[in-house]
Amino acid sequence: MSPSYTSEQRERWHKKTCCRCGRHGWFAACWPDGYVCRTCHDKALRVRGCCPDCGTDRALPGLRPGEGTPVCPPCAGFTVSYECSRCGFEGKLHGRRLCTRCTFADKLAELLDDGSGRTRPELVPLADSLLAMDSPLSGLTWLYMRKGRTGSADDLLRRLGRGDIQLTHEAFHTLQPWRAAAHLRELLMDCGILPAIDKQICLFERWLVSHLATITDPEHAQVVRRFATGEVLARLRTRAERNPVTPASRRFAGDQVKHATAFLDWLTDHGITLATCRQADIDAWRVEHNEHARNCIRGFLLWCMTSKLSRRFQLPVAATRRASPITQHERVNLLGRLLTDHGLPLRTRIAGTIVLLYAQPLSRVVRLTIDDVTNEDGLVLLRLGDPPSPVPEPAAGLLLHWIDNRDNMNTATNRDSRWLFPGRRAGQPMHPDTLAALINDLGIPTVAGRTAAIRQHVLEMPAPVVAEALGYHHVTTARIASEAGDTWSRYATGEHLRSPSGWTPRKTRDR
């Protein structure tokens, strides 16, 4: 926030012009080369390196006259010192002439104080993790966002320090706003303060608490709670033991619970209960609802029959629809654009290339780590299945360059992240929907492009080989191959480069 100045000071300072950017406005200091606005002042103090004049490694806010080369304050003729009064670090100073990191440390100590003048012992790992971030200014900005409001970062940390919020996952289910609470919970899991739980399961549990609170009928609430916790949530947890739960799976689980609630309300409106529901009632409900609702309610009806809450029903097989693939010519053109257009964001180019080249859904792309990329004697491999898939040039060079210049690496959430596409949440990769939006904004259809890629692969190679190399199930690739009309159904395994023993070529008229 801007400091409080008198109207006379404001009038006089607005007439000044920044010597760095040339704009009128508030100036932060008068340096040897002239008045400097607050933006240029803070930007200059972030420049660090070896001073070309004195050879010292420090902040380089000054500019050498005529050349514009950054130099240190003494060499630029500065009369003011920018050294922290506590640690001696040179940079932007805050209150009491403290640097950003020392100011951040004092603010954290204040918020996490348990009332005894020291940080709550259980929260020491959280404080250490936050203070270790490469950009303490990001942490300080996070603390001042929505400062003083209920549910802001400083409010949640202060309540944690006092013990008003228990260090359990259940305590975070009802905290609002839920995004700020979810971010703090992920920080606590990343520090080992809370046990690690799949992010999507955390989101589903938080949503379930609020959804159950909206059900007014006690009997309906009991049935929905039993279905959600004993069936839907149990399936999610079982899936999380094998692979991370995808956002799409979590959304479908939520839709199952919501449609189960709506179905019970529909029965009540028609004077029917689960026990008295008949096949004709099920058919009538299906006629009134769309295909997505029918697929969502199928799991609830099966659970009701298994739990003896209803009679037996005949339910049709769930229908699935697939996106129409783009043509091979369109796919190749899109790949060429991603690999050659250097004006596009590098992150989007890499993600789109993996989708179009290896037919990977974005839910898998975001779970890739830098350990899945290997460089063996100039041959770059990407581990999608077994064996790893070779990455051709120029995609290989772009991939290696991206690994060294990944985004979202300067905060406490991901400073040591191994994700190929780090997210903003602690220990989490990018959200696949966020990455999909970035790719789609370039005019690249992710689903249709992936469908075209996998169809082309099964046309060029046997379906089992594609399944192993790209991490697909062999049944999936076999079905795609059958739909694509490939000729590998009669492909014989074995060595095809050598002639069978005892075989001799038959002579023709020309020989």
Side-chain angles (χ1 to χ4, degrees):
M1 298 178 62
S2 300
S4 299
Y5 300 114
T6 64
S7 59
E8 183 180 353
Q9 288 174 322
R10 290 176 182 270
E11 180 66 24
R12 184 175 72 252
W13 288 355
H14 269 295
K15 296 179 181 179
K16 303 299 181 182
T17 301
C18 176
C19 65
R20 298 289 179 94
C21 64
R23 292 180 296 183
H24 294 275
W26 304 105
F27 64 86
C30 183
W31 285 352
D33 48 351
Y35 288 108
V36 181
C37 69
R38 185 172 301 277
T39 301
C40 292
H41 173 271
D42 296 346
K43 182 179 179 180
L45 287 173
R46 289 196 294 268
V47 179
R48 304 191 65 84
C50 182
C51 178
D53 289 350
C54 63
T56 57
D57 189 7
R58 57 192 303 180
L60 306 176
L63 295 178
R64 182 184 289 172
E67 299 180 7
T69 304
V71 293
C72 67
C75 295
F78 283 30
T79 58
V80 61
S81 172
Y82 286 97
E83 291 185 357
C84 175
S85 60
R86 179 181 300 171
C87 67
F89 182 82
E90 195 172 37
K92 179 182 178 179
L93 300 180
H94 302 266
R96 296 178 295 165
R97 298 191 61 79
L98 296 177
C99 67
T100 303
R101 194 174 298 277
C102 290
T103 304
F104 186 35
D106 288 352
K107 186 62 178 177
L108 281 177
E110 173 192 344
L111 295 175
L112 300 180
D113 186 3
D114 60 359
S116 63
R118 60 188 181 91
T119 301
R120 182 179 174 184
E122 297 92 334
L123 299 178
V124 170
L126 174 63
D128 293 341
S129 176
L130 291 172
L131 289 175
M133 69 170 64
D134 295 334
S135 176
L137 183 60
S138 299
L140 198 60
T141 304
W142 173 58
L143 294 182
Y144 279 97
M145 290 178 59
R146 303 178 66 252
K147 182 181 179 182
R149 299 184 184 180
T150 302
S152 61
D154 68 319
D155 174 62
L156 293 175
L157 289 176
R158 185 175 286 108
R159 291 161 63 188
L160 271 178
R162 294 196 306 254
D164 296 340
I165 301 177
Q166 299 297 320
L167 292 176
T168 62
H169 284 286
E170 290 73 20
F172 284 81
H173 289 166
T174 56
L175 292 180
Q176 294 294 338
W178 71 268
R179 291 185 184 275
H183 178 63
L184 181 56
R185 174 158 65 170
E186 288 161 4
L187 282 173
L188 294 173
M189 287 192 292
D190 190 55
C191 298
I193 299 176
L194 286 179
I197 297 179
D198 190 284
K199 172 187 175 181
Q200 301 303 323
I201 292 182
C202 290
L203 293 176
F204 178 80
E205 290 177 336
R206 183 211 60 81
W207 172 84
L208 182 59
V209 172
S210 60
H211 177 75
L212 292 175
T214 62
I215 304 177
T216 56
D217 191 314
E219 294 184 1
H220 290 183
Q222 181 183 13
V223 173
V224 173
R225 182 181 291 106
R226 287 178 55 191
F227 171 65
T229 57
E231 179 69 14
V232 180
L233 186 56
R235 287 182 178 273
L236 287 180
R237 287 172 175 165
T238 302
R239 180 175 299 178
E241 293 176 357
R242 302 190 302 268
N243 294 299
V245 178
T246 63
S249 298
R250 188 255 306 167
R251 284 194 296 267
F252 182 73
D255 288 344
Q256 284 184 302
V257 177
K258 286 188 291 186
H259 281 89
T261 306
F263 176 73
L264 293 176
D265 293 336
W266 184 88
L267 291 180
T268 301
D269 293 341
H270 289 75
I272 310 170
T273 64
L274 275 176
T276 60
C277 183
R278 301 168 301 170
Q279 181 68 47
D281 301 321
I282 299 296
D283 296 339
W285 183 91
R286 291 178 59 84
V287 170
E288 298 178 10
H289 293 79
N290 58 25
E291 185 175 305
H292 177 67
R294 298 169 192 165
N295 291 339
C296 290
I297 203 64
R298 176 181 171 83
F300 177 68
L301 294 177
L302 291 174
W303 175 81
C304 288
M305 290 186 286
T306 304
S307 303
K308 307 299 183 182
L309 297 178
S310 66
R311 63 185 67 184
R312 305 291 300 180
F313 304 118
Q314 291 184 354
L315 303 177
V317 178
T320 56
R321 290 187 178 182
R322 302 182 184 88
S324 300
I326 58 178
T327 65
Q328 175 65 3
H329 179 70
E330 292 174 324
R331 171 175 166 259
V332 172
N333 286 340
L334 291 175
L335 265 174
R337 179 188 171 204
L338 289 174
L339 295 175
T340 59
D341 192 345
H342 300 287
L344 301 178
L346 182 57
R347 173 175 56 189
T348 311
R349 294 172 65 190
I350 295 298
T353 299
I354 295 176
V355 171
L356 294 176
L357 197 58
Y358 301 105
Q360 295 298 299
L362 288 175
S363 58
R364 293 188 198 168
V365 173
V366 297
R367 306 301 301 189
L368 293 173
T369 68
I370 59 176
D371 300 320
D372 293 322
V373 181
T374 58
N375 188 0
E376 301 176 356
D377 299 328
L379 177 61
V380 180
L381 301 175
L382 180 61
R383 186 186 302 111
L384 303 170
D386 187 22
S389 301
V391 183
E393 291 290 352
L398 293 176
L399 182 58
L400 295 178
H401 181 66
W402 165 249
I403 292 176
D404 296 331
N405 299 274
R406 289 172 293 160
D407 296 336
N408 299 331
M409 294 293 293
N410 293 325
T411 63
T413 57
N414 279 311
R415 65 180 183 277
D416 298 321
S417 175
R418 309 296 294 176
W419 297 116
L420 186 59
F421 299 98
R424 295 184 178 181
R425 295 291 186 87
Q428 298 294 330
M430 280 192 68
H431 197 288
D433 291 348
T434 303
L435 194 56
L438 296 176
I439 299 176
N440 291 332
D441 287 343
L442 300 181
I444 299 174
T446 55
V447 178
R450 176 171 61 88
T451 305
I454 190 63
R455 284 172 62 93
Q456 187 64 28
H457 283 308
V458 298
L459 288 174
E460 296 177 352
M461 295 181 291
V465 175
V466 176
E468 293 180 0
L470 301 183
Y472 278 78
H473 196 281
H474 65 90
V475 174
T476 302
T477 55
R479 184 185 67 249
I480 296 174
S482 177
E483 294 173 352
D486 75 297
T487 58
W488 294 101
S489 58
R490 291 176 295 277
Y491 177 79
T493 60
E495 177 62 55
H496 295 271
L497 299 179
R498 295 183 305 174
S499 300
S501 59
W503 179 85
T504 56
R506 184 168 52 183
K507 295 182 179 181
T508 63
R509 296 180 179 178
D510 296 333
R511 296 177 61 185

